[in-house]
Amino acid sequence: MRWLRRLAWLSILLWSPGLLAQNGLTALTVTPTADGGQTYSVTIQVLLLMTVLSLLPAALIMMTSFTRVIVVLAILRQALGTAQTPSNQILLGLALFLSLFIMAPVFQKAYDQGLKPYLDEQIPAEEALQRAGQPFRTFMLNQTREADLLMFTRISGRDGLPSRDQVPFSLLLPAFVTSELKTAFQIGFLIFLPFLVIDLVVASVLMAMGMMMLSPMIISLPFKLMLFVLVDGWSLIMGTLASSFYT
C-alpha cells in the first residue's frame, strides 16, 4: 500500500499546474489574435506526457516480475484441471501482490535515487527519470538471457554492444519479456509433470477396468488436489517464484 500511495502522489504531482509550469510543461498556450481575442492550444509536451501515462501500466507489467508469475499460475490451474478455480480475478490479485513483494527492493531504490530527490527539488525531471529507471534496468538485465539479447541485437542490425550496461531499452525490453516467458514455461513444465503422471495412472486403471465412458479427469482431480494440499503446494509455488528472481 505504501508504494500505491507513492505512485498516487507522483501522479498528482506530475499533473500539478505549478510543477508543470516550473519544468516548462505549460498545459495551455494562450495566443492573442489580431482582433483582440485569444486562441488556446495544448502543448506537444502535455500530449506526450498523457501518452506516456496511458502506456505506464503496460510498461510496468512488462518491466516487472508480473509476466512470469501470472503465466506460472495459469499453467498451475491448467495442470490441476480445476477449470476456473481459482478465478481470473484471484490469479491476477495473487500475481499483482506477489510482484509488489518481489519488486519492493527495486521500487525502493527507484524512489531513493530518482523520485525523492526530484520531489525535494534537488534534481531536474530528466535526471530523476534516468536515475529511477536504473534499478529497473539492472533488474531486467539480471533476468535476461544473453542469447535473447544477442538475437534482438542481430535483428536490429547492430554489430554488437560494448557491454550489457549499454543495452538500450528498445532491445532490453523485448529480450526481457522473451526470457521471462521462457523461464515461466520451464517452471510450468516442472509443475505440470506430477499432475500428468496422476492423469496417466488414472487413465490406465480406468482402461484396464473397461470403464471407457468415465472421464479420467473426474477421478484424477481429487487425487491431484490431495497431492497439492499434502505438499503445501501454494507455499512451494509462491516461494519458488519469489526466489527465482534476483533483485
Side-chain angles (χ1 to χ4, degrees):
M1 295 303 295
R2 180 177 61 182
W3 294 112
L4 293 177
R5 288 197 300 268
R6 288 177 178 175
L7 289 175
W9 276 110
L10 177 58
S11 300
I12 294 173
L13 289 172
L14 284 176
W15 284 107
S16 174
L19 185 60
L20 290 174
Q22 179 181 354
N23 290 276
L25 299 180
T26 305
L28 198 64
T29 301
V30 181
T31 305
T33 60
D35 57 356
Q38 293 177 338
T39 58
Y40 303 90
S41 63
V42 180
T43 59
I44 298 299
Q45 293 91 336
V46 174
L47 292 177
L48 292 176
L49 180 60
M50 293 174 62
T51 303
V52 170
L53 289 178
S54 64
L55 297 176
L56 185 60
L60 287 178
I61 290 176
M62 293 292 100
M63 294 169 58
T64 61
S65 58
F66 184 86
T67 301
R68 184 187 304 186
V69 174
I70 191 61
V71 170
V72 171
L73 292 179
I75 293 177
L76 171 64
R77 184 175 65 179
Q78 184 70 24
L80 287 172
T82 54
Q84 296 299 318
T85 304
S87 63
N88 292 331
Q89 291 83 354
I90 295 176
L91 290 186
L92 288 173
L94 285 174
L96 175 61
F97 285 102
L98 184 59
S99 298
L100 290 177
F101 170 77
I102 295 171
M103 299 297 297
V106 179
F107 289 150
Q108 185 65 47
K109 290 180 181 179
Y111 176 78
D112 293 338
Q113 298 178 10
L115 181 58
K116 189 175 184 301
Y118 175 70
L119 296 179
D120 294 338
E121 299 182 356
Q122 298 177 358
I123 57 176
E126 294 182 359
E127 184 178 355
L129 182 62
Q130 184 178 5
R131 290 188 181 184
Q134 188 60 38
F136 288 93
R137 182 187 184 86
T138 302
F139 171 81
M140 294 166 66
L141 280 172
N142 289 336
Q143 313 304 322
T144 305
R145 291 177 170 83
E146 189 72 26
D148 295 326
L149 277 176
L150 293 176
M151 178 188 66
F152 283 99
T153 302
R154 184 178 65 256
I155 294 175
S156 64
R158 300 172 185 265
D159 295 333
L161 298 172
S163 64
R164 289 171 61 92
D165 295 334
Q166 298 182 7
V167 177
F169 259 103
S170 59
L171 294 180
L172 178 58
L173 187 55
F176 170 74
V177 175
T178 303
S179 296
E180 285 296 282
L181 290 175
K182 187 182 299 183
T183 303
F185 274 85
Q186 289 176 348
I187 298 175
F189 171 77
L190 296 177
I191 293 174
F192 215 108
L193 280 181
F195 301 110
L196 180 61
V197 172
I198 294 177
D199 287 334
L200 290 175
V201 171
V202 171
S204 300
V205 171
L206 291 178
M207 290 184 63
M209 297 175 63
M211 304 174 67
M212 304 295 184
M213 302 303 295
L214 183 60
S215 174
M217 297 295 297
I218 300 177
I219 306 300
S220 63
L221 180 58
F223 292 99
K224 291 190 287 187
L225 292 178
M226 180 182 64
L227 173 65
F228 193 69
V229 172
L230 289 178
V231 300
D232 198 8
W234 286 114
S235 297
L236 289 175
I237 294 298
M238 298 301 176
T240 301
L241 285 173
S243 60
S244 65
F245 290 93
Y246 300 94
T247 56

